[in-house]
Amino acid sequence: MEQARPPIITILGHVDHGKTTLLDYIRKTSVAAKEHGGITQHIGAYQITHNSKPITFIDTPGHAAFEKMRSRGAKVADIAILVVAADDGVMPQTSEAIKHIQEAKVPLVVAVNKIDLPGINIKVQMEKIKKQLSDRDVKLEEYGGDTPLVPISAKTGEGVDKLLETIELVAELHELKADPQAQVAGVVIEAMLDKFKGPVATILVRNGTLNKGDQIMLGGIKGKIRGMFDFNMKAITEAGPSTPVEILGLEAVPSVGAKLGEEPKEMEKAQVQSLVDKLKQGENKTLKLVIKADKQGSLEAIQAGLEKHNDERRVVEFKFLGTGDIVEDNVKLASSTGSIVIGFNIKVLPAAQKLADTDHVLIRTYLIIYELLEEMEEVIEGLIKVGQVEEVLGKAKIIAEFPHGKERIAGSRIVEGSIAKGQRIRVVREDTIIGETKLKSLRKVKEEVNKVEKGNDCGMLFEPQLDFQIGDTVESFRVI
Ligand code: GDP
C-alpha cells in the first residue's frame, strides 16, 4: 500500500552563499543526535523532524553530485533549495543551479540568505534578486508562479523555521508517496573505500524497504548487506522510503547515482570497450595517460590509485600529470605518445577538443575520483584479459658504440631491473620504438654472460642489427 513518505531535499547555490551553514544549522537545531552519544558522523544525508514530520536532507551541497546523479537518470531530490546570498545576488553558479533544477523538473524553493548582514539594504537587494530570478525563468509566487521565496539567515536562524514550513507545504502539494512493501529502489549518494570497513555506500531508499542481510545489486556491483546504519551511525535492520542508510558488504565501491537493482550500464560498458580496443590497436600495450586535475591533491590521489596496478607489471604509464584545464598541448602530447587524456574536475578547452577530434585522441573527463579509477581499472583488466599487457623487465641506456666486424656493439648501462639473453628486446628513442630484436651476445667487461643487473655496464650485440644510436634505451619485456 502506498503511503506518504518524507520529502528528500537538496541544497544548491553559488559558492559561499551559505549552503553548508544552512545544512549545519538545520542539523544542529533539529536532529536529536545526543541520543547516540552526540557523535554525528557524516554519511551524506540526514533526517530531521519538523512539526513531527520527517524531512530528509542530502548533506552534500553542490551541482557536481546533483548533475552526476541526473546524468545517470537517477532522480533523488524531491525539492531543491536554491540558496542566494542577499549581498551577492544571483551569481554564475546560481544560474547554473537554476538550469539543472529546471532541466530535472524538481520543485524549487528560493532561500535568500545572509539577511542579517549589516550594511546591506535588504529591500533593494530583494528586488534585485527577484528580478534576476525572473530573468532566469524562475516563476516566483509573488508574481503568480509556484516558486516560494523565503528570506533567511543560516547564521542566526532567522526564517529557517519558515523555510522548513514552506518545504512541508511544497511536499504536501506534490503528494510524495511510496510503498514500503514494494520492490526496493534506491540511489547511492555517497560511496568510498574505508580502510577497515571495505566498500561503504550511503543509499537513499526511494521505495520499498532495505533489510539487513539482503542480497543486492548496486550499479552492477554485488553485495550482501552485512551492516546497516542510520545517519547517526546507529545500527538498524531495516530502512524504508526516504531513509538514508550507510551499508556495508558490497564487493566494490559503487558510483554516485548508481541504483539498486541496476546492472552495469550498457553505455559505460561500450565506452570502456572502445578504450580497450583503442589500446589493442596501439603498438604499445601499456595504458599511457596524460592527466589533468583541478588541484595537486586530486592529482596525487589519482596517481596513487592508478600506480597500484604497476605492482607486478607496468600497465600504466604517466606521460604528463598537471593541474588546470585540458589545453591543446596536452592533446598534442597524447597524440604523439599514443596516450589517453584524462581530466578530473576540469574543462576541456574548445581548441583542445577540436584537436582531439581531428587527431583521434580520446579525452575522458570525470567528476568523481573513484569513477575515474573504476573505469581505468576496467580498462586495465580488459588489457590483462586479452593478454596484451607488457611487463618491462629491464631498461638500459646506450652510452657508447663499438665496431665489431661488420656489426656494432651497443655499450650500455642497465638503469632498471635486468636484461638477459632470450628475452624480447626493443630499442626505444624518446617514445618511438626503433625496432624489436634479440641478444646475440651479452658481455660484462670481456666475459660472455646470460644476465646483467641494474647498475652494471655491458656490451650488447643485437640480432637482427638495429639502427641504434647513443642515447637510445634498450628495454627487455614480456607480454603477459
Ligand atoms: P557554501 O559554500 O555555500 O557552503 O557557503 P558556507 O556555508 O561555507 O558559507 C560561506 C560563508 O558565509 C561562511 O563564512 C559563513 O559563515 C557565512 N555565512 C553563511 N550563512 C550566513 C548568514 O546567514 N549570515 C552571515 N552573516 N554569514 C553567513
Side-chain angles (χ1 to χ4, degrees):
M1 263 278 282
E2 282 212 322
Q3 56 192 61
R5 64 169 176 83
I8 299 170
I9 316 298
T10 187
I11 299 187
L12 301 175
H14 196 74
V15 64
D16 278 349
H17 279 197
K19 301 178 291 293
T20 314
T21 309
L22 179 60
L23 277 162
D24 288 349
Y25 182 87
I26 296 172
R27 189 202 294 111
K28 264 207 313 268
T29 49
S30 319
V31 166
K34 291 181 194 76
E35 279 172 41
H36 315 296
I39 308 159
T40 40
Q41 215 166 327
H42 175 96
I43 70 159
Y46 63 80
Q47 205 169 55
I48 66 157
T49 309
H50 185 256
N51 293 340
S52 52
K53 285 191 195 124
I55 305 175
T56 302
F57 283 88
I58 297 177
D59 205 0
T60 36
H63 315 161
F66 185 77
E67 188 52 16
K68 191 82 222 163
M69 291 186 212
R70 207 171 69 79
S71 72
R72 294 179 63 106
K75 184 170 181 286
V76 183
D78 301 305
I79 299 168
I81 298 178
L82 179 71
V83 174
V84 185
D87 53 341
D88 274 356
V90 170
M91 296 291 277
Q93 284 170 294
T94 323
S95 302
E96 214 177 275
I98 293 171
K99 240 175 43 211
H100 289 323
I101 295 165
Q102 287 168 340
E103 279 168 17
K105 297 193 170 63
V106 175
L108 170 64
V109 174
V110 178
V112 175
N113 189 32
K114 306 198 187 183
I115 57 167
D116 63 293
L117 276 178
I120 57 164
N121 187 333
I122 274 293
K123 239 181 157 166
V124 171
Q125 286 305 102
M126 275 299 185
E127 285 318 306
K128 180 180 132 194
I129 291 169
K130 284 177 192 167
K131 164 116 190 15
Q132 288 175 324
L133 292 169
S134 300
D135 288 347
R136 284 160 185 79
D137 231 7
V138 175
K139 302 197 166 47
L140 295 171
E141 273 179 351
E142 198 178 325
Y143 308 130
D146 54 6
T147 306
L149 182 149
V150 187
I152 63 159
S153 165
K155 200 167 183 177
T156 67
E158 189 185 344
V160 174
D161 204 57
K162 173 88 193 305
L163 177 66
L164 295 175
E165 260 162 41
T166 308
I167 288 169
E168 273 171 37
L169 285 175
V170 176
E172 272 168 30
L173 201 70
H174 286 83
E175 294 188 340
L176 306 167
K177 293 212 161 98
D179 178 0
Q181 260 77 52
Q183 184 173 3
V184 67
V187 182
V188 174
I189 57 165
E190 241 181 43
M192 56 170 235
L193 187 62
D194 185 280
K195 244 199 313 207
F196 304 106
K197 300 189 256 183
V200 175
T202 300
I203 299 178
L204 257 177
V205 179
R206 299 279 307 172
N207 206 3
T209 303
L210 204 57
N211 295 293
K212 192 176 169 187
D214 279 355
Q215 298 274 1
I216 57 167
M217 185 67 131
L218 195 56
I221 291 164
K222 272 199 277 188
K224 179 174 181 197
I225 302 180
R226 274 197 289 116
M228 199 153 80
F229 303 89
D230 71 5
F231 64 92
N232 278 322
M233 291 315 282
K234 184 179 148 211
I236 51 172
T237 52
E238 55 170 49
S242 299
T243 313
V245 276
E246 185 179 282
I247 62 158
L248 307 182
L250 291 164
E251 287 179 1
V253 180
S255 309
V256 167
K259 287 176 259 177
L260 273 170
E262 182 188 37
E263 303 285 334
K265 273 205 174 158
E266 288 311 311
M267 191 187 79
E268 286 172 18
K269 263 195 204 157
Q271 276 173 347
V272 172
Q273 223 34 60
S274 77
L275 261 180
V276 176
D277 279 351
K278 213 173 159 60
L279 288 166
K280 278 198 284 187
Q281 286 157 18
E283 263 188 47
N284 202 333
K285 310 305 178 199
T286 41
L287 178 59
K288 293 181 189 169
L289 301 170
V290 169
I291 305 181
K292 295 295 289 281
D294 56 345
K295 43 184 194 261
Q296 196 58 30
S298 321
L299 210 53
E300 281 163 16
I302 294 165
Q303 188 179 7
L306 291 170
E307 194 92 69
K308 71 173 204 280
H309 298 288
N310 284 351
D311 274 356
E312 288 169 10
R313 46 180 103 79
R314 193 188 64 165
V315 281
V316 183
E317 201 179 310
F318 303 103
K319 287 293 174 194
F320 182 79
L321 291 150
T323 54
D325 291 336
I326 294 175
V327 296
E328 269 176 292
D329 269 354
N330 304 137
V331 178
K332 272 186 206 152
L333 177 67
S335 179
S336 65
T337 56
S339 306
I340 292 169
V341 184
I342 302 267
F344 175 72
N345 237 342
I346 46 79
K347 286 199 299 289
V348 182
L349 295 190
Q353 186 62 58
K354 213 168 147 206
L355 184 65
D357 292 343
T358 35
D359 280 13
H360 304 291
V361 170
L362 191 62
I363 300 181
R364 298 282 297 143
T365 55
Y366 306 84
L367 293 173
I368 296 171
I369 291 186
Y370 56 80
E371 287 200 349
L372 183 164
L373 296 179
E374 218 173 66
E375 189 164 301
M376 287 306 119
E377 206 161 293
E378 279 185 57
V379 172
I380 291 162
E381 273 166 21
L383 281 178
I384 292 169
K385 267 190 212 124
V386 294
Q388 302 276 29
V389 174
E390 280 178 9
E391 180 182 10
V392 171
L393 305 164
K395 278 190 187 180
K397 265 262 165 293
I398 300 181
I399 49 175
E401 63 163 285
F402 313 104
H404 179 78
K406 277 187 188 160
E407 298 166 321
R408 291 187 301 150
I409 290 173
S412 313
R413 175 165 300 158
I414 313 289
V415 290
E416 243 182 76
S418 63
I419 289 186
K421 273 189 192 162
Q423 289 172 342
R424 288 177 71 178
I425 302 284
R426 69 181 163 220
V427 175
V428 181
R429 191 167 303 152
E430 282 167 11
D431 278 306
T432 314
I433 296 171
I434 303 301
E436 194 180 324
T437 182
K438 292 229 152 171
L439 286 176
K440 183 172 159 188
S441 157
L442 183 64
R443 284 191 181 184
K444 205 166 145 186
V445 194
K446 287 211 168 109
E447 192 188 340
E448 186 73 23
V449 291
N450 282 323
K451 189 175 180 182
V452 186
E453 308 267 353
K454 181 177 170 179
N456 291 296
D457 292 348
C458 60
M460 297 177 181
L461 194 56
F462 302 127
E463 188 179 68
Q465 278 279 311
L466 290 176
D467 188 21
F468 67 83
Q469 63 185 42
I470 292 170
D472 288 350
T473 302
V474 179
E475 288 183 355
S476 64
F477 68 100
R478 67 182 177 127
V479 173
I480 300 157

